[in-house]
């Protein structure tokens, strides 16, 4: 089923500060959300996740969400593969080899895969967070700066996997990374 995310007349204020007002968006596939720093991209994604309440307006069609937050939100004691397995059905380990291969594809070697998440570099943690979002059963992907801390070659590998896996799914990816925007080649929604 193809989802259609509809944002209607959405406004968000924090006291006197208005982040966005009367925002209308319709998203039916992958898009890049671009706006200057401080505009409220992260807040918009949090509203779509149900973690923040808008001042006014409505959001429909989000469905189940897979997300990469601005911070990685990994379980620090688990390794990268175990962190991805957290989003699978309970006791689901039959995809371990495929998850392992995904990590190899985006540049995490055996040594990194054996470490607890707290010992991974920032870029390695971002790759684990991105794979966790891709493996989660979802209708919508909400990705907040998913390529932070990745070198250009790694970002290209991660972007290629993202494009391959999400297909025409509704994706809102917030980023300032011009290389990532170019690499993904998705429509840019400038706000």
């Amino acid at each position: 089923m193809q989802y259609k995310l509809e944002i209607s007349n959405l406004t968000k204020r924090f006291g006197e500060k208005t982040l966005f007002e009367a925002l209308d968006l319709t998203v039916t596939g992958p898009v890049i959300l671009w706006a200057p720093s401080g505009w409220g991209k992260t807040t918009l994604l949090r509203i779509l996740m149900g973690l923040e309440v808008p001042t006014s307006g409505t959001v429909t069609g989000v469905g189940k969400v897979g997300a990469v937050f601005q911070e990685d939100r990994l379980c620090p004691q688990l390794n990268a593969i175990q962190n991805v397995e957290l989003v699978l059905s309970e006791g689901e380990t039959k995809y371990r080899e495929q998850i392992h291969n995904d990590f190899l594809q985006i540049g995490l070697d055996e040594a990194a895969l054996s470490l607890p998440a707290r010992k991974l570099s920032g870029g390695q943690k971002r790759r684990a967070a991105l794979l966790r979002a891709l493996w989660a059963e979802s209708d919508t992907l909400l990705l907040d700066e998913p390529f932070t801390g990745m070198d250009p070659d790694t970002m290209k590998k991660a972007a290629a996997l993202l494009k391959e896996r999400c297909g025409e799914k509704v994706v809102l990816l917030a980023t300032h990374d011009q290389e990532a925007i170019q690499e993904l080649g998705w429509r840019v929604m400038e706000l």
Side-chain angles (χ1 to χ4, degrees), residues 101-158:
N101 290 336
D102 283 352
F103 274 116
L104 295 178
Q105 184 179 337
I106 59 174
L108 250 73
D109 60 19
E110 298 294 339
L113 289 174
S114 68
L115 294 173
R118 70 177 169 275
K119 294 196 176 199
L120 297 175
S121 72
Q124 290 171 327
K125 288 177 183 176
R126 293 310 277 173
R127 286 177 268 176
L130 180 60
L131 271 186
R132 184 181 56 197
L134 288 174
W135 275 91
E137 184 183 324
S138 67
D139 306 304
T140 301
L141 282 175
L142 301 172
L143 311 174
D144 199 348
E145 297 289 355
F147 306 118
T148 300
M150 294 184 202
D151 62 73
D153 187 49
T154 301
M155 180 276 296
K156 286 179 182 177
K157 290 175 185 172

Side-chain angles (χ1 to χ4, degrees), residues 23-37:
L23 177 65
D24 290 311
L25 291 175
T26 300
V27 183
T28 58
V31 297
I32 294 169
L33 185 62
W34 191 93
S37 291

